[in-house]
Structures are given as C-alpha cells and as structure tokens.
Amino acid sequence: MSMQEKDSREDETIVRCTSAIDCGGRCPLRFHVKDGVITRIEGDDFPDPERQLRACLRGRAYRHWIYHPDRLKYPLKRVGERGKGISEYVRISWDEAMDTVVRELKRVRDTYGNSSIFFTGGGHLGALHTVGPLSKALCMFGGYTTIYGNISSEGPVWAVMTSYGDVMVGHSREDLLNSRIIIMWGWDPVRMISGTDCVYTLTRAKEAGIKIYAIDPRCTHSVATFADEWIPIIPGTDAAMMIAMAYVMIKENLQDQAFLDKYTVGFDKFRDYVLGIEDGVEKTPAWASEICGVPAKRIESLAREYATTKPACLNDCQGPARAAQGEQYNRCAITLTAMTGNIGKPGGSACGGLMGIPYGHMFRAAGIPGMKNPVEEGGPSVRGTLDLKLRLVTRIHTNKIFDAILEGKAGGYPSDLRMAWLAGGSILTQRGDVNKGDRALKSLEFIVAQDPFLSPTARYADIVFPVSTFAEKNELTRPWPSGPYFTFANKVIEPLGECKTDWEIGNLLAEKLGFKDFDNNTEEEWLRLFIKQNPEYATYIKDYDEFKREGIYRIQMEEPYVAFRKQIEDPENNPFNTPSGKIEIFSQRVADIGNPMCPPVPKYIPDGEHRRHPLSKTYPLQLLSPHPRVRAHSTLQFVDWLEEVEPHAVWINPADAEARGIRNGELVYVFNDRGKLAIKAWVTKRIIPGVVSIYEGKYYQPDEEGIDRGGCVNILTPDAYSPGGAAALKTCLVQVARS
Ligand SMILES: Nc1nc2c(c(=O)[nH]1)N[C@H]1C(S)=C(S)[C@@H](COP(=O)(O)OP(=O)(O)OC[C@H]3O[C@@H](n4cnc5c(=O)[nH]c(N)nc54)[C@H](O)[C@@H]3O)O[C@H]1N2
Ligand SMILES: Nc1nc2c(c(=O)[nH]1)N[C@H]1C(S)=C(S)[C@@H](COP(=O)(O)OP(=O)(O)OC[C@H]3O[C@@H](n4cnc5c(=O)[nH]c(N)nc54)[C@H](O)[C@@H]3O)O[C@H]1N2
Ligand SMILES: [Mo]
C-alpha cells in the first residue's frame, strides 16, 4: 500500500492515522503493523518541534482499546434481560440482524407512524463513516423523531449566537504567545487538550513569562502546571464574579468606552443592571464575594489588572456552562472581553467557550448530503431563532430523551416513542438521570444499537451491530476543536470479526429497504469527492494521494488567526452577523422571548440545585462531573494502561471528609434522590470544601439494590436544561457517606 512506510525493523510497516473519537485533540499517529496486527503506536514526527502535534496518554493507548477483549465482533441478538450484559446475547448473522430490524421498523411505522421511531447517533467524528447515511435511509423510510441540541455546548453556542451571530470565536493557539495575561476561567486544557497544539503552546507561554491565572473549584492539572495563581470559586457563580469585575471597571472608568461605543449595543442597559439602577442591587465585589467565595479584594485587583493589561486573553470554556443558566457564564465572559476591548485583537480573545477557528473546524465537516426529515415537516421555522421553545416543537431536548420516552405526548413531548435506534454515543452514561434512563429504555418495544463495545446503552438493545473502530477504515478526520490542519486517517488493519462501519450499516439498511441506487460510490470515491467539493479542503489539498500518504495537511499561517479581526479593523464592510450588526450586549431577540429567566443582558440568576437551594439541607455538597483525563467520556473504558494512570474516585476536601469520618481510599456512597453510587474517596485539598467531583463516563453497573457499582456519575445529575438549552448536568446536589 502506498501510504505505508518501512520501519527500521524490516518486518513492520507504519500507517499514518488519527483517532476519530470525541477526545479534545486530533493527533497524528504512526501505527506499526506486523502481519496485519498493530504492534505499537508512535506520535507525530514532524521535524519542527514547535509545530509537532504531540499525542497525549490516550492517543498512545489506542492499541489496548482496539484489541480490548470486550470488543464486539459479531451482530448480537438479545435473548435475556435488558440492561444486563453480554450473557444475555447470542451471535447471529448480519442478514438475520438487519432483517429483524427492518421488520420492526415496518411494524412500528405501520402501527404507530414514523414519529414513534427515535433515532440518534454519534461516536465517530469523521466525514464518511458516520450515521449520516443511516439518517438518510430512515428519512427515505418516512422519517423519525430526534433530539435538539448538543449535550456538549448549547450554553456557549447560544451565548455566541446571541452576542456575535457566529460560532467561530477562537484564536489559533500560537496567539496565546501575544497575550500579556491568560485567564483560564473554568478551562483545564492539560486534561481536556483543547486542540493538540494547545498544551505545548501554553508551555511556551509560561516559559515566556506570560502571567497565567486559573479560576476553577478544583486545583486542576492546568493549575498545577501553568498557573501563577489558582483562584478557587464556588461552582455556578462565575457570572456573579464577572459582573462584579464589570462593576469595578465601570466605577473606576477602566472600560474601553471607545470600543464599546463603536462595536457594541446595549452596554448602557448592562451598566444599569450592574450598578443596581435596574433592580436596586449594586453588584459590588462584596456582593459577589458572598456568592462566589472569592475575596472582594481579589475580584477588584483582577478586574483592574485585566482591564489595564493589554492584550489579555480571557478563556472561558464549556464545562461550567453545562449548568443551570450556563449560558450566562459565557455571555458575561464575552461582555468582559468587549469592555476591555480585547475582541478582534492579537493576544486578546472573544470568549464564548468554543475556541473554534474556521480552519479544519469539526463543525464544518464534509459528508454525504442528508435529507429533510419528513417527521419534522410543518414544524415552525427555527432558522436563527434563540427561542428554545420553537426548537422543541418537533424535537426532544438532548437531556430529556428519557422523559420523552416515558411520558410522550402526554408530557408535552412531540411524540409517543415505541422504538429507538441508538447509533453510537452512549446516552445511558452521558445524559442526566441514568436511573430514569434505565426505566425508559426498558419500556420501549424495540431497540437497535451499534457500537464497537457493548456500552451500557447497547446493553438494552434487542439487536446490536458491531462497529469497526477508526483504525479499521479510511476516513477524513478533523482536529478537535479546530486546526489549522486537516487529517486523513488511513486504514491500519482489517475490521475485527464481522464489524462494519456506520456508513456500511446505513447502506445495508437502504439495501434491505429496497432503495435502489442509494449509494454507488466506493470509500475512495467519496473521500476524493469530499475533498474536491468542500471549499475548505479544496483550497489547501491539491494532491489527494500525498495527503493520504502523509495523513495530515498543516496549514502554514502567516500570523495567528484572530476571531473577528475583520469586523474590528473594517467594521463598515464587515458587520457582525447580528440584527444590529454589532456585538450585542443587549439582545432584542432575547428580550422578545419574554422570559425573565432568560434576560436580554447577561445576569447572575441562581437556578437549579445551587448551593443555597432548600435541597442543600439534605444534600449539602455540589457535585462536579468533569471529563476524564484517561477516557474520552465513556470511550477507552477499561483500558488497563489508562486505568492505572488515574483510578476512578470522588474528590472530596479533607474538611468534608473529616465531618463524615471518611478516610482516603475507602469506599463511600454518593447519593441524592435520583440515585446512589459506590466509589473510592480521594481526600484532597485540590477541591474546595462543599464541592465533590466525579469524572463522567464510567460504565453504569447497578447491583441488585440499585446501587451503581460502576461509578457512573450521571445517575446523580439532573435531566434539566437551561433557558438557552445548556444541559444542566453540573448543577447538582448530593450527600456523601461511609459505605
Ligand atoms: N481527557 C479528555 N479530554 C476531553 C474530553 C474527554 O472526555 N476526556 N472531552 C472533550 C469534549 S467532548 C469536550 S466538550 C471538552 C470539554 O471541556 P469542558 O466541558 O470545558 O471540560 P469539563 O471537564 O467539563 O470542565 C472544565 C473545568 O471546569 C471546571 N468547573 C466546573 N464547574 C465550574 C464552575 O462552575 N466554575 C468554574 N470556574 N469552573 C468550573 C471543572 O473543574 C473543570 O476543570 O473536552 C474535550 N476533551
Ligand atoms: N455529567 C456529565 N455528563 C456529560 C458531560 C459532562 O461534562 N458531565 N459532558 C457531555 C459532553 S461534552 C459530551 S460531548 C457527551 C459525550 O457523550 P457521548 O458522545 O454519548 O459519549 P462517548 O463516550 O464519546 O460515546 C461514544 C460511544 O460511541 C462508541 N464509538 C466509538 N467509535 C464509534 C464508531 O465509529 N461508531 C459508532 N457507532 N460508535 C462508536 C464508543 O464505544 C462509545 O460507546 O457527554 C456529555 N455528558
Ligand atoms: Mo463535548
């Protein structure tokens, strides 16, 4: 094969590949292969060390995932109980499996109508081997009901669409070197990567003496590695602290008024709120300090330093926004970047938690064109709307799937669901209130799932299709969250057992449904076509074979990419994509929604299970559930190398542990009204008192009494969402006790 190189060891070849999982980076990897078997994995070998894209520990452990003994290799049919595991399944042929699914599809459609078929998918972030073709075949079959929203980033998406009308709000990473201070506000890139070039760039920034602050309830790896100072904060209160910083700037006249006048609308209305003219409450540092736990003096000094040190890079993120009122955190951060005039400037930032640049951004992936879903026809037009209600007329909020299954139309959901096709992604570890999910999935008439593993979600399926991993197919992958580079993942090995890709499964369904000429292209024809037809690829990739051979195309940029540079340098010719053409600190579109919990200027509004909620008398601890360093969510589960790096545990402050008689390393229960899990305690000052933390993504393994022994944090989290659509997974109260 042309893309293979000879290794120094004569009998091995090297294949260039990248993962396609939802992991925070996209690293070029060199897979060593001998006799069709992966023997080891090496990272990027680009000669310029400053542009090398170094794999993290997860990237180096894929061999143990791809060849994990639990990999599914054959289609399965359930013969026992739902939710239990591999002992309840028997091997069947692809024909029998797909024929069963088609029979059930037809039965459910003919009995209840297409809207009672629920479909959602994910798991693979590529161009071709996605669930897109499956969705198209199901639309040709009459359609299905699906979700609205991204469990990941609805808070920041809503905030940036409100303020800027655009999601490409990032700077390329090397622009961090142009900043004079970097404020990591709820951002922990050492763990969650934020682009493969991020951590090394931060290392260079630190070496260059750029001041770095981190605001997080946990002393994260990024705090420990980079921060000059850790500013601990009570979860869910960032908006209060940011608003008080705005107060200090206004009182001391430190805001960049010329910038605000020229590029923004509605600062006066925000100022009225901050100064208490609107509601009688002055948002002073003392006011904020009571709420967020950061000393008033520190809020004041940070406000002054941030306002007077230019350029400065404030980076908010997505995690703190996955909360009740999550979008207010991002909107406040955006407002601070506008008040300090840092938007559109090298070394500055625009905030918005997405940090995307339009070079290789995963939101702009190529793919087989989809189809309109007939089930959604007649629904309201949702183009450009910020009103979530309109989006939920035909769709189910992504954090409400279980309720929708259990309650249907009677509960206000768009349809009564009878069957589900869960095509990758693991709703039963990654959505709130997993015990409700258990009841919901047990209530369905038929479930089909497809995954390389028997995930907790797949365990409820009547038919399970085995899917090949990224190493078993040729694919265009994209950097996470963005470049500047494009990647080609070469097929490293043949699919294990009878595994198929999601694309092949879509095609098989179309064939069984009798759709002629559904897809006549080969894998290579599609990949070549995507590159030719997608303007982003076509601009850079002139030689397909070379791109495939190298596995990567690095864009050589003359200077770092800066979001909204054109809008700031030449505003007459480049208005923002908002109704006013400016950055909207006040949004008339939001005002028109008329919901006091969804204000037109950014505000601090306590909501959900916050620290002062009456429920805190019974469940006094706030629960965080960040992304695991050793997995990508539930993916890379049980990989021995990774489990050794960081055992699963609940972080608890010594003050909270002592009050409960809990010793480091002992098994404890973490619980609330939604569930109870058993997990080891890690007693550590790296988390503030009153807050505990469990990494998300661990497999759900309830015992006979319903206690989850797997440590799946989402049995505890609520299935709520904010007015902007953010899944409120981080706004959650629990208690911890000895087991
Ligand atoms: N290793 C690894 N990396 C990943 C992923 C993974 O699963 N594993 N997933 C990828 C994906 S899909 C995404 S969306 C991104 C996610 O990136 P994020 O969503 O930003 O990551 P989180 O871990 O949820 O949260 C980031 C930080 O916010 C802190 N935090 C929580 N609540 C608050 C709060 O109220 N205020 C403040 N100031 N801080 C708070 C947490 O302690 C944590 O350190 O990561 C990507 N990277
Ligand atoms: N409590 C809490 N919950 C969270 C979050 C949080 O911060 N806290 N974060 C949220 C965020 S940001 C995200 S993005 C979601 C992630 O939620 P999901 O996307 O549901 O989580 P993953 O574990 O990435 O699921 C991927 C599944 O796809 C499978 N898979 C891998 N490759 C393929 C493939 O090629 N095809 C198919 N069909 N399947 C494949 C994997 O084995 C795995 O079972 O979780 C959310 N849930
Ligand atoms: Mo995500």
Side-chain angles (χ1 to χ4, degrees):
M1 285 151 85
S2 63
M3 79 291 310
Q4 295 185 343
E5 300 157 30
K6 279 285 173 213
D7 184 32
S8 51
R9 296 190 210 169
E10 271 301 294
D11 51 353
E12 281 190 351
T13 46
I14 298 173
V15 186
R16 291 175 186 264
C17 186
T18 77
S19 80
I21 62 170
D22 194 9
C23 66
R26 194 64 70 227
C27 42
L29 295 169
R30 291 175 293 149
F31 282 67
H32 291 243
V33 184
K34 187 182 169 191
D35 301 330
V37 176
I38 303 164
T39 53
R40 63 198 169 104
I41 297 174
E42 284 187 295
D44 192 13
D45 57 353
F46 194 64
D48 177 356
E50 290 191 354
R51 295 181 64 207
Q52 250 182 30
L53 295 158
R54 292 165 198 196
C56 79
L57 70 172
R58 287 168 291 133
R60 292 167 194 278
Y62 285 135
R63 187 167 61 92
H64 288 223
W65 180 67
I66 294 163
Y67 290 127
H68 196 285
D70 294 348
R71 264 298 296 280
L72 298 181
K73 300 196 184 76
Y74 308 99
L76 299 174
K77 176 171 107 177
R78 186 171 64 83
V79 290
E81 247 184 279
R82 274 197 175 145
K84 282 281 191 262
I86 197 73
S87 58
E88 315 296 295
Y89 288 88
V90 294
R91 175 179 170 181
I92 55 169
S93 68
W94 271 100
D95 268 340
E96 184 186 347
M98 193 56 98
D99 287 342
T100 309
V101 170
V102 166
R103 203 171 51 240
E104 285 296 315
L105 277 171
K106 289 182 175 162
R107 181 187 67 78
V108 170
R109 178 189 63 183
D110 297 346
T111 320
Y112 309 108
N114 277 89
S115 68
S116 57
I117 301 167
F118 178 69
F119 172 76
T120 179
H124 175 84
L125 280 74
L128 175 62
H129 296 282
T130 70
V131 297
L134 195 50
S135 153
K136 186 174 157 191
L138 288 172
C139 285
M140 289 168 71
F141 179 72
Y144 54 82
T145 300
T146 191
I147 54 167
Y148 169 73
N150 186 327
I151 190 75
S152 181
S153 54
E154 283 306 296
V157 167
W158 192 86
V160 298
M161 292 315 290
T162 302
S163 314
Y164 300 124
D166 195 337
V167 294
M168 293 300 156
V169 294
H171 292 206
S172 51
R173 288 291 171 246
E174 74 256 57
D175 191 48
L176 287 166
L177 300 170
N178 293 325
S179 305
R180 289 182 60 210
I181 44 172
I182 298 168
I183 305 176
M184 303 194 291
W185 201 312
W187 181 40
D188 178 16
V190 170
R191 174 177 47 88
M192 39 86 59
I193 310 299
S194 294
T196 306
D197 54 350
C198 182
V199 173
Y200 185 60
T201 313
L202 275 167
T203 309
R204 289 169 64 200
K206 184 164 177 68
E207 279 171 5
I210 298 166
K211 228 183 227 171
I212 303 179
Y213 298 126
I215 303 174
D216 199 300
R218 303 181 313 136
C219 176
T220 61
H221 291 302
S222 301
V223 173
T225 317
F226 296 123
D228 291 281
E229 188 185 336
W230 171 35
I231 303 174
I233 189 165
I234 292 171
T237 66
D238 304 276
M241 175 163 165
M242 292 181 189
I243 288 162
M245 284 170 67
Y247 180 92
V248 176
M249 292 179 202
I250 294 167
K251 280 287 180 185
E252 300 181 11
N253 205 20
L254 299 175
Q255 76 275 21
D256 188 337
Q257 195 60 48
F259 185 96
L260 290 168
D261 292 342
K262 190 162 175 191
Y263 300 108
T264 72
V265 292
F267 176 66
D268 51 335
K269 295 199 175 66
F270 178 67
R271 189 180 48 208
D272 285 353
Y273 164 72
V274 173
L275 297 180
I277 294 164
E278 185 195 306
D279 59 359
V281 182
E282 273 188 272
K283 314 301 179 303
T284 63
W287 165 84
S289 181
E290 271 286 296
I291 295 166
C292 71
V294 179
K297 284 263 171 298
R298 191 65 194 98
I299 299 174
E300 273 167 33
S301 57
L302 186 67
R304 281 185 206 119
E305 187 177 358
Y306 176 51
T308 56
T309 315
K310 290 186 186 175
C313 171
L314 171 67
N315 253 337
D316 58 350
C317 201
Q318 304 175 350
R322 226 168 280 121
Q325 295 291 339
E327 55 272 9
Q328 299 304 325
Y329 149 77
N330 302 111
R331 283 202 76 199
C332 286
I334 291 167
T335 304
L336 287 182
T337 62
M339 287 179 69
T340 54
N342 274 301
I343 298 167
K345 314 256 175 80
S349 71
C351 278
L354 293 161
M355 301 175 292
I357 62 172
Y359 294 89
H361 197 283
M362 56 181 184
F363 282 13
R364 297 193 175 183
I368 297 175
M371 252 188 76
K372 263 209 161 137
N373 183 350
V375 162
E376 294 179 3
E377 259 163 38
S381 160
V382 293
R383 244 187 112 79
T385 186
L386 297 169
D387 189 349
L388 193 58
K389 277 198 309 296
L390 294 178
R391 304 214 177 248
L392 298 179
V393 172
T394 56
R395 293 197 178 192
I396 298 161
H397 187 274
T398 184
N399 207 23
K400 280 288 182 194
I401 298 169
F402 307 140
D403 249 5
I405 293 172
L406 290 169
E407 295 181 15
K409 282 185 186 156
Y413 295 97
S415 64
D416 293 319
L417 302 172
R418 306 290 178 159
M419 81 167 270
W421 193 320
L422 306 170
S426 179
I427 55 171
L428 219 76
T429 51
Q430 302 309 128
R431 302 299 190 274
D433 206 346
V434 165
N435 283 326
K436 191 190 274 182
D438 167 77
R439 295 194 296 279
L441 293 190
K442 279 180 177 156
S443 77
L444 286 171
E445 292 179 16
F446 186 78
I447 302 174
V448 45
Q450 66 200 53
D451 201 291
F453 288 84
L454 195 65
S455 70
T457 310
R459 284 180 202 153
Y460 289 71
D462 299 275
I463 296 288
V464 183
F465 296 137
V467 182
S468 39
T469 66
F470 62 82
E472 297 153 58
K473 49 207 174 200
N474 288 297
E475 180 63 296
L476 302 179
T477 54
R478 290 209 160 205
W480 199 118
S482 48
Y485 60 96
F486 303 102
T487 41
F488 192 112
N490 280 291
K491 183 174 179 180
V492 183
I493 51 169
E494 289 305 313
L496 298 198
E498 293 180 3
C499 284
K500 288 187 191 293
T501 76
D502 298 289
W503 171 58
E504 290 167 333
I505 295 171
N507 284 350
L508 182 62
L509 173 68
E511 185 193 314
K512 294 272 183 193
L513 288 173
F515 300 147
K516 295 265 174 304
D517 293 325
F518 181 77
D519 184 346
N520 294 320
N521 286 352
T522 63
E523 183 186 65
E524 178 162 333
E525 282 164 351
W526 272 124
L527 297 179
R528 283 184 184 273
L529 197 67
F530 290 157
I531 289 178
K532 222 165 92 188
Q533 289 184 340
N534 182 296
E536 245 185 72
Y537 280 114
T539 308
Y540 295 100
I541 313 248
K542 304 294 179 199
D543 184 338
Y544 174 89
D545 295 311
E546 189 189 342
F547 177 43
K548 179 167 162 58
R549 193 168 51 243
E550 295 297 322
I552 186 163
Y553 181 93
R554 292 167 220 257
I555 300 170
Q556 178 71 60
M557 300 180 85
E558 274 163 30
E559 45 187 21
Y561 177 81
V562 171
F564 305 124
R565 196 169 189 157
K566 278 192 325 220
Q567 284 84 340
I568 298 306
E569 287 178 358
D570 181 10
E572 276 70 37
N573 294 309
N574 300 287
F576 283 88
N577 187 30
T578 53
S580 63
K582 300 201 173 191
I583 300 164
E584 301 204 342
I585 294 174
F586 169 89
S587 164
Q588 188 57 49
R589 285 179 299 168
V590 177
D592 292 343
I593 297 172
N595 176 0
M597 296 301 274
C598 189
V601 295
K603 286 187 177 175
Y604 168 70
I605 305 175
D607 199 6
E609 296 179 15
H610 59 89
R611 196 176 262 219
R612 294 176 185 186
H613 191 280
L615 198 65
S616 67
K617 292 208 170 52
T618 324
Y619 302 118
L621 300 167
Q622 291 179 285
L623 172 70
L624 298 182
S625 46
H627 293 201
R629 181 168 161 230
V630 296
R631 294 185 301 281
H633 316 290
S634 70
T635 310
L636 298 170
Q637 194 90 207
F638 306 132
V639 170
D640 49 355
W641 283 3
L642 297 172
E643 298 222 309
E644 210 173 305
V645 171
E646 200 164 310
H648 195 49
V650 54
W651 298 33
I652 183 165
N653 185 276
D656 294 321
E658 263 163 43
R660 291 164 177 77
I662 291 167
R663 286 187 313 272
N664 190 36
E666 81 172 295
L667 200 70
V668 296
Y669 290 135
V670 185
F671 55 98
N672 60 20
D673 289 341
R674 287 177 289 271
K676 181 174 189 176
L677 61 79
I679 190 170
K680 281 196 171 148
W682 186 38
V683 179
T684 175
K685 285 187 182 158
R686 288 181 64 174
I687 190 159
I688 62 169
V691 183
V692 291
S693 177
I694 300 173
Y695 285 129
E696 52 103 320
K698 258 299 190 192
Y699 274 16
Y700 174 55
Q701 293 175 328
D703 67 12
E704 292 303 313
E705 292 166 61
I707 300 171
D708 177 42
R709 298 277 158 187
C712 172
V713 73
N714 279 329
I715 66 151
L716 300 166
T717 58
D719 57 352
Y721 58 85
S722 76
L729 298 165
K730 307 274 165 98
T731 313
C732 177
L733 292 170
V734 295
Q735 179 59 292
V736 181
R738 301 185 67 182
S739 64

